[in-house]
Amino acid sequence: MANIPIKSVLGAAAVIAAAQSCGKMPEKPNVIVILADDLGYGDLSCYGAERVSTPNVDALASAGIRFTNAHCCSSTSTPSRYALLTGSYPFRRTGTDIAAGNAGMIIRPEQYTLADVFHDAGYATGAFGKWHLGLGSETAMQDWNGELDMTPKDLGFDYHYIMAATADRVPCVFIENGKVDNWDPDAPIEVRYDKPFEGEPLASTNPELLTKLVHSHGHDMTVVNGIGRIGYMKGGGKALWKDENIADSITVHAVDFIKSHKGSPFFMYICTNDIHVPRYPHDRFRGKSPMGLRGEAVLQFDWTVGQVMAALREQGLDKNTIVILTSDNGPVLDDGYQDKAMELCGDHRPGGPFRGGKYSAFEAGNTVPFIVYLPEGMKHKSTSNALVSQIDFVASMAALTGVEVPDGMASDSRDSHLTWLGKNETDRDFVVSMALNRSLEIRDAEWKYIEPSKGTKFFRLTSIESGYSLDPQLYHLTEDSGEQGNVAAEYPEKVEEMKNRLEEVRIANF
Ligand code: NG6
Ligand code: CA
């Protein structure tokens, strides 16, 4: 039943009835997606990490299902999140690459989103934390001192408390329901990405301002909270965030939402800033990891997960809430700040057994932790090796909640909810993902093909193998999950077959 197009799904009510009969599914379970940032396959203790312990995430995994072959749709944030929320591959549209903090909203209101699914199912919906999909109807035209004219509200989210882009990009403020939270009338906000504001200090010209973190590459523009950022910003005053409080702010708002919606079904999209750069966790995590700031940021992520679960328990909602925890892309150590992530990593392998990392076409770029916490009584198994993809969020959650996806929407998304709920271990037919240079890879449960593409073999600044090659690459994943031997020359028919399958996906005309 997995992987069938949504249009051929039985009546949704029938699907829910079937699920209920075999596993005590609550009638309208709350659904929480916890999306970590740059958290690698090997960064959690339940995925084998030994130099960091993540008890709260591990508890989620023991109460649910831990997937060992789950993939995001791109090895960077914006395109990955675009796919998760729309069920449409980011390569189908231009403008889906890593977004600036003043990018206009990339998903357009007419697109059907994961939030629309839940909205149509009668759920209250909220987005929290890192957004990174643009805001406002037009790039660089946002009024950060008034109300934004296009926001997640236009995409099915009733409520949002978000960061426009990333913690290393201006504007360094939270936005609540279209307005800068804590907006300071004495410090009106201006944001630019094309040129600096005259007379404003920069990280490149005023290094004495870098009191908290110093950059290693990039991040030499406006300084906020003693840390250099990407982009230029003026003003902000009391609205400016303190990096050490970001996790707390996101968590507090998420917990408040849980408390105020305990009486009716809700969907939450909680995107932590951890463990993206700049890594500057709260004092209470400092000195707690042998891996320094990056390890402490993992601990802080784990803390957020613990707070969300504790809130569910306190409200008696752990019995009817499904929590799906995953990451937007693979890991990186030095992503532009001198936080000693590389030096203190020791034998920790953030990408687990996989090759490459963030930005890369190799497996560590898009093989991500994926844990589905299920209410008591619904648990069928503890790990699943099924091949699954984040592209299936929209169709799977539509099937789960009994919503019909409108024709022509979320066309790449397939209903995999029975696999996600552990009722079968059916592999997706194929999984496609995109690397930084927009080249594509396709894999099935056995083989992986990386299409030829131009570009450096090694990202020097981040020390990550790109996986790019002018030659076609074929890896026999069942024997070589570490992608050590390109066997394209030995299996020309397989190369042809995978290439054609990729081509079919690419040119699909929905
Ligand atoms: C890169 C940034 C990196 C990070 C990334 C986006 C530099 C030198 N590097 O351009 O620090 O922000 O973009 O990461 O500026 S993502 O996880 O949001 O895709
Ligand atoms: Ca990311």
Side-chain angles (χ1 to χ4, degrees), residues 227-477:
I227 300 175
R229 316 278 166 167
I230 308 171
Y232 307 101
M233 173 177 189
K234 235 171 120 165
K238 65 182 166 60
L240 294 172
W241 67 49
K242 290 219 177 324
D243 299 71
E244 49 275 47
N245 295 334
I246 289 177
D248 285 17
S249 302
I250 296 171
T251 305
V252 162
H253 284 79
V255 166
D256 278 354
F257 189 89
I258 292 174
K259 287 185 186 156
S260 57
H261 290 85
K262 63 176 172 196
S264 50
F266 59 80
F267 163 63
M268 298 172 74
Y269 173 63
I270 306 177
C271 301
T272 66
N273 168 56
D274 296 312
I275 54 173
H276 195 278
V277 295
R279 302 173 186 122
Y280 205 76
H282 193 273
D283 259 359
R284 63 185 183 276
F285 302 102
R286 302 303 288 274
K288 298 279 158 66
S289 168
M291 296 195 289
L293 290 164
R294 187 174 184 278
E296 291 156 15
V298 174
L299 298 179
Q300 183 167 263
F301 171 72
D302 185 64
W303 171 85
T304 295
V305 174
Q307 294 294 303
V308 168
M309 295 313 289
L312 290 177
R313 276 193 301 275
E314 271 161 32
Q315 305 302 322
L317 297 173
D318 51 322
K319 309 267 183 300
N320 65 335
T321 303
I322 295 174
V323 181
I324 306 177
L325 181 149
T326 186
S327 177
D328 68 338
N329 53 252
V332 52
L333 293 173
D334 182 349
D335 208 14
Y337 293 93
Q338 298 177 32
D339 57 13
K340 295 207 164 66
M342 201 83 96
E343 296 88 324
L344 299 174
C345 190
D347 59 3
H348 175 71
R349 298 197 59 193
F354 304 113
R355 187 170 178 183
K358 180 174 178 176
Y359 309 113
S360 169
F362 284 135
E363 287 290 275
N366 58 67
T367 312
V368 285
F370 193 86
I371 294 168
V372 180
Y373 163 87
L374 295 169
E376 233 174 79
M378 273 180 68
K379 185 173 150 81
H380 283 232
K381 55 195 333 314
S382 46
T383 47
S384 172
N385 300 322
L387 178 67
V388 295
S389 166
Q390 291 178 1
I391 196 72
D392 291 339
F393 262 101
V394 172
S396 302
M397 294 300 109
L400 180 81
T401 54
V403 162
E404 199 159 327
V405 175
D407 267 356
M409 294 291 168
S411 309
D412 294 307
S413 195
R414 303 282 178 269
D415 171 20
S416 302
H417 84 282
L418 294 177
T419 314
W420 290 22
L421 299 185
K423 297 192 193 300
N424 66 38
E425 213 170 328
T426 312
D427 290 313
R428 206 180 193 282
D429 292 345
F430 64 86
V431 160
V432 171
S433 21
M434 182 173 96
L436 179 67
N437 69 353
R438 294 184 79 83
S439 64
L440 301 181
E441 320 104 53
I442 184 167
R443 73 185 62 65
D444 59 23
E446 193 178 352
W447 298 92
K448 170 169 175 185
Y449 168 75
I450 305 180
E451 70 175 348
S453 76
K454 287 190 197 138
T456 178
K457 287 217 176 319
F458 189 70
F459 301 119
R460 196 178 45 82
L461 296 171
T462 52
S463 283
I464 290 173
E465 290 182 289
S466 68
Y468 305 161
S469 168
L470 293 173
D471 299 318
Q473 294 173 76
L474 182 75
Y475 296 99
H476 198 185
L477 293 176

Side-chain angles (χ1 to χ4, degrees), residues 196-256:
F197 293 100
E198 219 170 296
E200 293 284 311
L202 299 174
S204 55
T205 53
N206 295 66
E208 75 283 0
L209 297 177
L210 304 174
T211 52
K212 293 197 169 158
L213 271 181
V214 177
H215 47 276
S216 55
H217 55 272
H219 307 103
D220 59 355
M221 297 162 236
T222 292
V223 181
V224 175
N225 190 34
I227 300 175
R229 316 278 166 167
I230 308 171
Y232 307 101
M233 173 177 189
K234 235 171 120 165
K238 65 182 166 60
L240 294 172
W241 67 49
K242 290 219 177 324
D243 299 71
E244 49 275 47
N245 295 334
I246 289 177
D248 285 17
S249 302
I250 296 171
T251 305
V252 162
H253 284 79
V255 166
D256 278 354

